[in-house]
Amino acid sequence: MRALPLCLLAFLLAGCATTHKTQPPAPVQPTPVEPKPVKTKPAPVRPAPVKLYKDAEALVGTPFRDLGEVSGESCQADTQDSPPSLATARKRMLTRASYMKANAVLLHQCQILSGVPGCHQQAICQGSALNVTFK
C-alpha cells in the first residue's frame, strides 16, 4: 500500500526531468520598457488677492461695480474649542469674494454673536464684493 504513492511520485519526477532535457533553454530577451506618461496634478485653485476697504470714503472717485453681498464666519462649536476669530471670518469673506471674481470688498461690519444654533459663539463679517477699476 505504501509502495503505490512512492511509485507514482517516482514516475512524476522522472516525467518532469525528461521533458526539460529535450528542449534547450531559450535565451532571455529583455522586453523594451515604454516610459509611462507622467501625470501632473493640476495646480490648486488659489483665490485671487482681494483688497479690503474698511471705509467707503476710500472708494470716492474710483469706478467700481457691485457684485453683491458676501460674508464669512468663524464658529466656536462648544466651550472647549478655541474662540471665534474675526480675522478668520474676514479672510473667509475675502476668499468668497474672490470666487465671485471680485478684486475688492467694502466691509460693512464684523461682530461676535452668542447663542447661534450649532455654535457657542460665532464671528461674522459682512461686506459688498466689488470689481474696482484701479488707475
Side-chain angles (χ1 to χ4, degrees), residues 10-115:
F11 285 127
L12 183 68
L13 290 175
C16 290
T18 59
T19 58
H20 287 294
K21 288 183 180 178
T22 58
Q23 298 176 353
V28 177
Q29 297 280 337
T31 57
V33 178
E34 295 179 19
K36 294 183 181 179
V38 177
K39 295 181 181 178
T40 59
K41 294 181 181 179
V45 177
R46 293 193 177 117
V50 177
K51 185 172 182 178
L52 181 67
Y53 289 98
K54 295 183 180 180
D55 188 16
E57 298 285 328
L59 289 169
V60 173
T62 306
F64 65 89
R65 196 176 88 171
D66 190 349
L67 300 176
E69 294 290 315
V70 68
S71 67
E73 59 275 332
S74 174
C75 178
Q76 178 186 15
D78 54 23
T79 55
Q80 287 82 22
D81 291 341
S82 61
S85 168
L86 288 174
T88 301
R90 195 173 13 234
K91 184 176 178 181
R92 289 179 180 166
M93 176 184 65
L94 294 174
T95 302
R96 287 187 181 140
S98 72
Y99 289 132
M100 296 171 65
K101 305 291 187 215
N103 60 4
V105 170
L106 175 60
L107 180 65
H108 297 306
Q109 66 177 350
C110 280
Q111 60 185 346
I112 295 182
L113 303 173
S114 297

